[in-house]
Amino acid sequence: MGVIERDVRREALAELSRFRGEFYACLTARGDSLFELAEALLCVEGPVKTLVGLALAPEHRRGHGALYAGLNQGRLDVGRLRRALAGLPLPQAADGRLVLAVDVSPWLRPDAATSPDRSFCHTYGRGEQNHQMIPGWPYSVIAALETGRTSWTAVLDTQRLEPGADVAAVTTVQVRELVGRLIAAGQWHEGDPLIWVVVDAGYDVPRLAHLLRDLPVEVLGRLRSDRVMRRPAPPRWHGINGRPPKHGGEFVFKDPATWGGTIATTTTVTTRYGTAEAKAWDKLHPRLTRRAAWEDYEGDLPIIAGTVIRLQVEHLPSGGDPKPLWLWWSRTGATTADVDLAWQAFLRRFDIEHNFRFWKQTLGWTVPKLRDPAAADRWTWLVVAAQTQLRLARPLAGDLRRPWERALPSNRLTPARVRRGFRNLCTLTPTPARVQKPTTPGPGRPIGSKNRVRAPRHEVGRVLAGGEPHIRPTHHQTGTKPRRTGQAATSTSVACG
């Protein structure tokens, strides 16, 4: 082992130890139980199948009662944990800028009628490969993306969407507060490249860019292929009366005759998609109307101009028919090199999907059957803290591969491969949790007695997306029967999958 590698491992171990101590300090009530629960989440063998099974791990020195008491009655200083996450070393794009991916993932709870604050969540590919609306808790997550092919992301913030919440408004508040924490932590300085916020097609990208226009960020997102944009207004001729036009000619995505000349056309040879061709058009904007999110806007509706990028690849890794990908970028006057960086940064957005898969399939994020949404929030932050420890332990981990798996270098290990050896790594750092006190178990409920307190039932709410069509779920999709009064539920929902 060289001197440089030893220094890297020493610094990584020190950073991991500092974060573990700061994470424990964020646990203000029942912190020992919650810290050991996160420890067991990292050290247990294989995927997490049950929540109570974590109490059997050697790292969880308390009983299963303390496990549930920690989630239901514990307290977590979320603000302090958010500041700690913003102060950690963060991945950057190829040009040194921060790229933040924003997406919503649902914690489905279709049978939890006694759990409040559930919303109808738009899920893809469940059942017969159709889109369904299923009750659950949608969570908005923001993560910093790395460059290159990887399944690692640095999760910086998560927030559960309340019923009736406007996704664009919640995302605006999330990004605004996160950018403030990043600037306070020294992650961005005046003169650095602007931070990119990358979103998928479920967001109203121009509206999000308008709400964040006073921040050092640029918004990049996907648009549907049936959109129509407008060109800048033509110059007004001298001597013509009347109100000057606000919009120019139409730019129809499905009609190449309306595209006109491009500001940039690039061709890139990729290993997975073959030849990728990107075309960009400058200063295109949507024509806004006073409805939906813009109904109560004061004054004249704004002109939100940006760059439209059309990406066409030669083939897909799955062998399917590649369709063009349309992107809208809040920057104008982009160069050819900027266009290449933009669409490559958007493709990195799909790394957050691998993050959600790792949460659900390995860390068991949606496994617990918790009734209280506040307990679900605590568990979610424990999962975030656990994944952050794995990310900090990457330089320390070795490849504990199975006999049928291919060997990987240390810098290419996946989060699941790093987790296999975390039990050996956590012994190198001090454990701030205190030793459990000897206790005597209580008598519990007498045998044969029944619970006479009936838990209240809660209706499923809705989440507003701003720009997406509302879909009315049926009782076959939600798993609930219609009310006996004959009145159908009127709640609607939007995409959060």
Side-chain angles (χ1 to χ4, degrees), residues 46 103 149 165 206-207 320 379 393 426 441 479:
D103 203 355
R149 292 181 57 187
R207 181 191 173 203
W379 171 249
C426 67

Side-chain angles (χ1 to χ4, degrees), residues 12-304:
L13 185 60
E15 193 69 47
L16 177 61
S17 300
R18 284 193 295 266
F19 177 76
R20 285 164 61 85
E22 184 67 17
F23 170 55
Y24 180 76
C26 296
L27 306 174
T28 57
R30 297 187 180 268
D32 299 323
S33 177
L34 291 175
F35 185 88
E36 291 187 355
L37 177 58
E39 198 88 334
L41 181 63
L42 289 169
C43 298
V44 71
E45 183 70 20
V48 176
K49 299 297 183 181
T50 60
L51 179 62
V52 71
L54 297 176
L56 303 177
E59 290 73 18
H60 194 276
R61 298 172 292 183
R62 290 160 173 79
H64 63 278
L67 182 148
Y68 285 102
L71 289 178
N72 293 323
Q73 304 172 17
R75 288 196 300 270
L76 175 66
D77 190 347
V78 177
R80 182 172 180 175
L81 182 55
R82 283 170 169 159
R83 291 190 296 270
L85 294 174
L88 295 175
L90 298 180
Q92 296 178 346
D95 58 345
R97 75 174 70 239
L98 290 174
V99 180
L100 305 178
V102 185
D103 203 355
V104 178
S105 183
W107 182 341
L108 300 181
R109 299 302 308 278
D111 300 325
T114 59
S115 295
D117 296 342
R118 292 184 303 159
S119 305
F120 284 111
C121 300
H122 190 188
T123 59
Y124 296 89
R126 290 183 62 91
E128 301 177 354
Q129 299 298 320
N130 56 352
H131 298 181
Q132 296 184 355
M133 311 302 296
I134 300 180
W137 291 317
Y139 280 82
S140 176
V141 180
I142 304 180
L145 303 179
E146 296 188 3
T147 182
R149 292 181 57 187
T150 178
S151 57
W152 288 94
T153 62
V155 178
L156 300 176
D157 188 44
T158 179
Q159 182 173 340
R160 177 171 48 85
L161 300 178
E162 300 284 347
D166 186 345
V167 178
V170 173
T171 302
T172 301
V173 175
Q174 267 191 293
V175 174
R176 187 175 298 276
E177 294 178 351
L178 175 57
V179 171
R181 292 193 298 269
L182 293 175
I183 295 176
Q187 302 285 2
W188 188 88
H189 302 88
E190 190 70 30
D192 291 346
L194 297 180
I195 301 173
W196 281 355
V197 178
V198 186
V199 298
D200 206 2
Y203 293 83
D204 188 347
V205 189
R207 181 191 173 203
L208 194 60
H210 177 73
L211 295 175
L212 298 174
R213 64 189 181 278
D214 59 328
L215 296 181
V217 301
E218 293 177 350
V219 181
L220 174 66
R222 180 168 61 169
L223 299 179
R224 299 184 309 184
S225 59
D226 58 351
R227 291 292 298 268
V228 177
M229 289 286 173
R230 288 302 186 102
R231 302 183 185 278
R236 186 177 183 181
W237 292 92
H238 180 70
I240 298 180
N241 298 326
R243 182 177 180 179
K246 294 182 59 176
H247 312 283
E250 291 186 343
F251 183 95
V252 184
F253 287 5
K254 290 188 176 182
D255 187 5
T258 62
W259 296 352
T262 64
I263 61 169
T265 301
T266 66
T267 302
T268 307
V269 179
T270 64
T271 56
R272 302 192 66 196
Y273 303 99
T275 302
E277 182 185 40
K279 297 182 179 181
W281 295 265
D282 195 20
K283 296 181 180 179
L284 298 180
H285 64 272
R287 182 173 183 176
L288 304 179
T289 57
R290 292 192 179 276
R291 60 180 181 179
W294 302 98
E295 183 177 1
D296 299 328
Y297 186 83
E298 297 181 359
D300 294 337
L301 293 177
I303 301 296
I304 311 174

